C-alpha cells in the first residue's frame, strides 16, 4: 500500500508528465491534406521565442538547420546580391564586436552542428552494422508510419485496419502479432514486450518516463525530439487536433502517436541496450545540457548573413516605394471603367501589372482570395462540404450548387448520384482481389487512346470548374436555402457584405464593371495540385467565393441594405466573377448570361484587355519556365505552349507557384502601381484615411498578415531543410490514403511541405529563403496599438519572424519597427 508521501510524489510526477506532453505537442504545427493543401509555417509552435533561439532548439531536437549553408551566402556575395553595406548594417544590428573583414572570412567556413537530443533507438544503432542493414531508427519510423497510413486511410484502401478504438490501441493490437521486427531486423521479444504495455497511452508515457534514464527537467525536450523523429505524422495528428479545436472538440491522436514512439524507446532501453552502453547515454545528455547553456555564437554569423540578404531586398523595396511616393498622392480624377479585385497572392502582382498596362481606365485592388466569405462548399451530389476559407478560420455559411428550381435540382442530383455510384462500382471492380490479374488484360485496350492523347500533351479545357458542368448556364453555387429568405438573414448578409467592401477599401466610386478575380491552377498527375490553387480558399480555386459574392452584390435586396449602411452601389454597376488560371494566365468569366444588355460592349472591351494582359504575363513568365522564343512567337503559339505544358502528365514544374515570395505591402495601389515587383510581393489594398477606427488594419494584421507569414515560412523551411520540412523528389511520390500526404518512395515518414521541384529548376534555386518583410502605409500609433493588443502579432514582430516597416501616408518616409521603437530609414539611392 502506497504511503501518502508516495501518492503525492506520483501525482506530482504525473502532472509533470502531463505538462511535458502538452509542451511537446504544442510545438508541432499542423499539415493539411492534399485536397486542401495550404501553406503552413512549420515553426508556428516556436513563435513565442526569438527566431535565433528557436532555430537552435529545433536543431537540437532534429538536426534541422533553419539557415542555408554558408556556401549559399558566399554565392550571393559573389553574385553581388550581398554587398559590404548590407553586411555592415546587419553586423551593426547584431552588436557582435568583430570587424567586417573577420565576418567575410567566416563566409568560407561551415559551422559544426549542435549535439542532438539523445534518443535510445539512435543509441541502439551504434551496436548494429549499418553498412549492411537498416538502422533501428529508420525501421521504427517505417513501422510507425505504415501503421498510421493504414489507420488514417479512409479514402484509398479497400481493406481498412481493424480494431480502430484508437490509434494507439490499434497499434498495440498489431504489435502483439507483428513478426516483421524479427523477420526483417532480427529483433526478438517485440511481441512479448507489446503484451506488457498498458492499454492507455497516457499511462504508457508516464511509465516509460519513470523507467527511462531521462532527466525530468528534460522531458519536454525529449518528448519533442521523439515527435520530430516522426515529424510528418506528428504534423498530421496536429492537423486532426487543430480541426477538432476549431469545432470546439478534443482530439488526442498526437498524444497517442507520442505513446507509440516512446514505446519503441522503452523497448530499446530494456531489450537492446546493455548496462555498458549507459555511460554513452549519460555523456550524450551532458553534451546536450552543456549546449543549452552556451551562447550560440556558432550561428550568430549565419544570422548576420541571412539578415544582410534580407536587408538587400528591403533596400530595393524602400527605393521603389519611396520614389513612387509622389504618384501615390495623386488620386485618379475619374471613376475607372473596370475595377478588378485580385487575391493578394504574389502571382496576381504580375497579372495586375499587365492588366493595368492594357488601359489607364482599369483599377485593380488586392484582397484575400476567399473574398471574406466564411463558407463551405458542397458540390452537387456530394454529402461532404469542403472549406473555402483560410485554414485559421471555420465556415459559418454553406454553399451548394443550384439552378434555382427545386425540380431541376432534384433531377440533376439523381443523375449525379447515379454517375457517382457507377464510378464507385468501377473503382471497386478495378481494386478487388478477383480482378487484380485480369484487369489490364481485359480492359487495357480501352485506355490506349487516352494514353496516346495524354502522352502527346495536347491542350485541353481550362482550369477545372468548381461545380458540375451540367446545365452550366443556370447551375451556380448559391448560399443554402435557409440563408437570404427572411429579414434577419438578409440583414446578416448585408452586414457581412458591408464589412467585406469596407475591408477592400471599396465603399464608393464603383465602376460600371466590378470584376472579382479568383484564381486556380491547372496541372496533371500532381498530388500537390491544391497547393497551387488559392491558399486563402483552403487549397481550392476561388471560383465559388467569387461567384457567390458577385451574386450577393448584384442582389437588389442586398444593395438596398448596403445603401442603408452608407454604401451605395449605382444601378449602372454590375459585378462579375472570374477565374485566373495561374498556369496559363487565361481568364474565365462566369455567369455572363446575367449581364444586362447595357453592359455587353463593356464586357467585350474587358475581355480584350484580359487577353492582352494574359499574353503580356505569359511573355514575362516564359523564360522562367524554359519556354523559348517567347519574344518573337505569336500570341496563339505562346498560349499553346503554355497549354501543352500544363496538360503534360510528366511535367514536374508546371508553374512556380508562390516561389520567391518575400514581402507584404498593405497600402493603396497607387503606392505600387507601375512598379515591377517581379511577382515577389503580396499586395493588399488599404486606405488609412477611410479607417478612422483602425478596425480594417487590425483585421489585415491579424489575418492576411498571418497567412502570408505561413506561406513565406513554408517556402523558407522547405528550402533550408527539405529533408524535414519538404516533401523531397516529386518523381518518387506515392500518395498516402488518397489525400493524407505522400511518401517519397514506398515508406519512411509522411512527407510534408513542398517538393524540391517547386523550389529548384535543376540548376539553381528558384526560391531565395527570406523572412517576410511587411510594409504598412498607416500612422505609427495605429500599428503600435494593434501590436499591443494581439500576442500573436507581437510575437511575430518582436521575435524576428517578420520584418515590419511603416510608410507615412502620402510621403516617402519609411520607418522600421524594432524592439518597440521606430527607426527612420535613411533615403535609399537608386539601385
Amino acid at each position: 500500500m502506497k504511503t501518502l508521501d508516495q501518492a503525492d510524489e506520483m501525482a506530482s510526477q504525473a502532472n509533470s508528465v502531463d505538462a511535458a506532453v502538452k509542451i511537446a505537442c504544442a510545438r508541432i504545427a499542423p499539415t493539411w491534406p492534399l485536397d486542401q493543401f495550404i501553406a503552413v509555417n512549420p515553426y508556428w509552435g516556436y513563435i513565442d521565442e526569438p527566431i535565433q533561439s528557436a532555430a537552435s532548439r529545433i536543431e537540437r531536437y532534429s538536426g534541422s538547420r533553419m539557415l542555408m549553408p554558408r556556401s549559399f551566402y558566399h554565392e550571393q556575395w559573389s553574385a553581388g546580391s550581398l554587398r559590404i553595406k548590407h553586411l555592415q548594417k546587419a553586423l551593426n544590428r547584431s552588436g557582435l564586436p568583430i570587424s567586417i573583414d573577420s565576418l567575410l572570412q567566416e563566409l568560407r567556413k561551415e559551422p559544426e552542428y549542435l549535439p542532438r537530443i539523445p534518443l535510445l533507438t539512435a543509441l541502439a544503432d551504434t551496436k548494429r552494422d549499418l553498412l549492411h542493414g537498416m538502422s533501428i531508427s529508420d525501421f521504427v519510423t517505417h513501422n510507425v508510419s505504415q501503421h498510421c497510413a493504414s489507420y488514417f486511410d479512409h479514402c484509398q484502401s479497400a481493406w481498412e485496419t481493424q480494431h480502430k478504438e484508437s490509434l494507439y490501441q490499434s497499434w498495440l493490437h498489431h504489435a502483439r502479432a507483428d513478426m516483421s521486427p524479427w523477420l526483417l531486423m532480427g529483433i526478438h521479444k517485440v511481441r512479448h514486450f507489446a503484451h506488457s504495455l498498458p492499454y492507455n497511452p497516457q499511462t504508457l508515457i508516464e511509465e516509460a518516463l519513470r523507467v527511462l534514464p531521462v532527466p525530468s527537467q528534460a522531458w519536454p525536450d525529449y518528448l519533442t525530439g521523439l515527435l520530430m523523429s516522426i515529424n510528418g505524422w506528428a504534423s498530421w495528428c496536429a492537423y486532426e487536433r487543430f480541426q477538432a479545436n476549431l469545432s470546439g472538440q478534443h482530439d488526442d491522436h498526437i498524444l497517442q502517436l507520442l505513446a507509440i514512439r516512446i514505446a519503441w524507446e522503452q523497448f530499446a532501453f530494456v531489450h537492446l541496450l546493455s548496462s555498458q552502453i549507459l555511460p554513452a547515454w549519460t555523456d550524450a545528455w551532458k553534451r546536450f545540457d552543456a549546449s543549452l547553456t552556451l551562447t550560440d555564437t556558432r550561428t550568430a554569423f549565419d544570422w548576420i548573413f541571412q539578415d544582410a540578404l534580407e536587408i538587400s531586398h528591403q533596400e530595393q523595396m524602400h527605393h521603389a516605394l519611396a520614389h513612387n511616393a509622389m504618384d501615390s498622392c495623386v488620386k485618379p480624377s475619374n471613376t475607372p471603367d473596370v475595377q478588378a479585385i485580385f487575391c493578394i497572392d504574389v502571382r496576381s502582382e504580375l497579372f495586375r501589372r499587365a492588366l493595368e498596362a492594357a488601359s489607364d481606365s482599369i483599377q485593380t485592388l488586392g484582397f484575400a482570395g476567399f473574398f471574406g466569405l466564411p463558407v463551405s462548399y458542397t458540390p452537387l451530389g456530394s454529402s461532404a462540404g469542403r472549406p473555402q476559407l483560410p485554414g485559421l478560420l471555420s465556415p459559418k455559411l454553406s454553399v451548394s450548387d443550384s439552378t434555382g428550381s427545386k425540380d431541376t435540382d432534384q433531377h440533376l442530383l439523381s443523375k449525379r448520384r447515379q454517375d457517382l455510384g457507377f464510378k464507385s462500382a468501377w473503382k471497386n471492380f478495378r481494386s478487388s482481389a478477383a480482378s487484380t490479374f485480369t484487369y489490364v488484360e481485359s480492359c487495357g485496350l480501352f485506355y490506349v487512346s487516352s494514353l496516346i492523347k495524354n502522352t502527346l500533351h495536347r491542350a485541353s479545357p481550362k482550369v477545372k470548374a468548381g461545380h458540375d458542368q451540367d446545365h452550366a448556364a443556370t447551375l451556380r453555387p448559391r448560399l443554402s436555402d435557409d440563408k437570404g429568405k427572411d429579414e434577419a438573414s438578409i440583414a446578416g448578409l448585408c452586414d457581412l457584405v458591408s464589412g467585406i467592401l469596407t475591408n477592400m477599401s471599396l465603399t464608393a466610386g464603383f465602376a460600371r464593371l466590378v470584376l472579382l478575380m479568383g484564381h486556380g491552377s491547372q496541372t496533371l498527375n500532381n498530388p500537390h495540385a491544391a497547393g497551387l490553387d488559392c491558399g486563402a480558399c483552403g487549397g481550392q480555386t476561388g471560383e465559388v467565393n467569387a461567384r457567390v459574392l458577385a451574386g450577393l452584390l448584384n442582389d437588389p435586396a442586398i444593395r438596398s441594405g448596403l445603401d442603408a449602411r452608407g454604401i451605395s452601389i449605382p444601378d449602372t454597376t454590375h459585378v462579375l466573377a472570374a477565374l485566373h488560371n495561374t498556369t496559363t494566365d487565361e481568364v474565365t468569366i462566369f455567369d455572363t448570361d446575367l449581364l444586362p444588355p447595357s453592359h455587353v460592349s463593356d464586357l467585350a472591351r474587358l475581355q480584350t484587355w484580359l487577353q492582352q494582359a494574359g499574353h503580356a504575363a505569359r511573355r514575362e513568365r516564359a523564360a522562367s519556365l524554359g519556354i523559348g522564343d517567347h519574344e518573337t512567337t505569336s500570341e496563339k503559339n505562346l498560349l499553346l505552349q503554355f497549354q501543352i505544358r500544363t496538360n503534360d502528365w510528366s511535367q514536374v514544374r508546371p508553374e512556380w507557384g508562390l516561389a520567391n515570395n518575400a514581402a507584404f505591402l498593405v497600402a493603396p495601389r497607387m503606392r505600387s502601381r507601375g512598379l515591377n515587383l517581379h511577382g515577389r510581393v503580396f499586395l493588399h489594398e488599404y486606405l488609412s484615411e477611410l479607417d478612422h477606427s483602425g478596425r480594417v488594419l487590425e483585421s489585415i494584421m491579424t489575418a492576411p498578415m498571418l497567412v502570408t507569414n505561413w506561406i513565406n515560412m513554408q517556402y523558407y523551411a522547405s528550402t533550408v531543410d527539405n529533408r524535414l520540412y519538404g516533401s523531397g523528389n516529386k518523381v518518387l511520390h506515392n500518395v498516402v490514403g488518397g489525400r493524407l500526404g505522400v511518401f517519397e518512395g514506398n515508406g519512411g515518414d509522411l512527407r510534408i511541405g513542398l517538393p524540391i521541384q517547386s523550389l529548384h529548376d535543376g540548376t539553381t534555386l528558384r526560391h531565395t529563403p527570406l523572412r517576410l518583410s511587411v510594409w504598412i502605409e498607416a500612422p505609427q500609433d495605429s500599428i503600435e496599438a494593434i501590436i499591443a493588443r494581439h500576442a500573436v502579432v507581437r510575437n511575430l514582430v518582436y521575435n524576428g519572424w517578420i520584418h515590419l516597416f511603416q510608410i507615412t501616408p502620402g510621403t516617402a518616409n519609411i520607418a522600421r519597427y524594432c524592439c518597440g521603437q521606430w527607426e527612420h530609414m535613411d533615403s535609399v539611392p537608386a539601385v
Side-chain angles (χ1 to χ4, degrees), residues 56 60 114-115 287-298:
S56 297
R60 290 181 177 98
L114 288 172
R287 289 194 301 273
F288 179 78
D289 290 339
S291 72
L292 295 176
T293 59
L294 293 175
T295 302
D296 193 10
T297 55
R298 180 192 57 94

Side-chain angles (χ1 to χ4, degrees), residues 78 174 178 270 307 387 471 652 685 690 755 762 768 806:
S78 300
H174 176 75
D178 186 14
V270 173
D307 197 29
H471 293 70
V652 294
E685 191 72 14
L690 300 180
T768 303
Q806 177 262 351

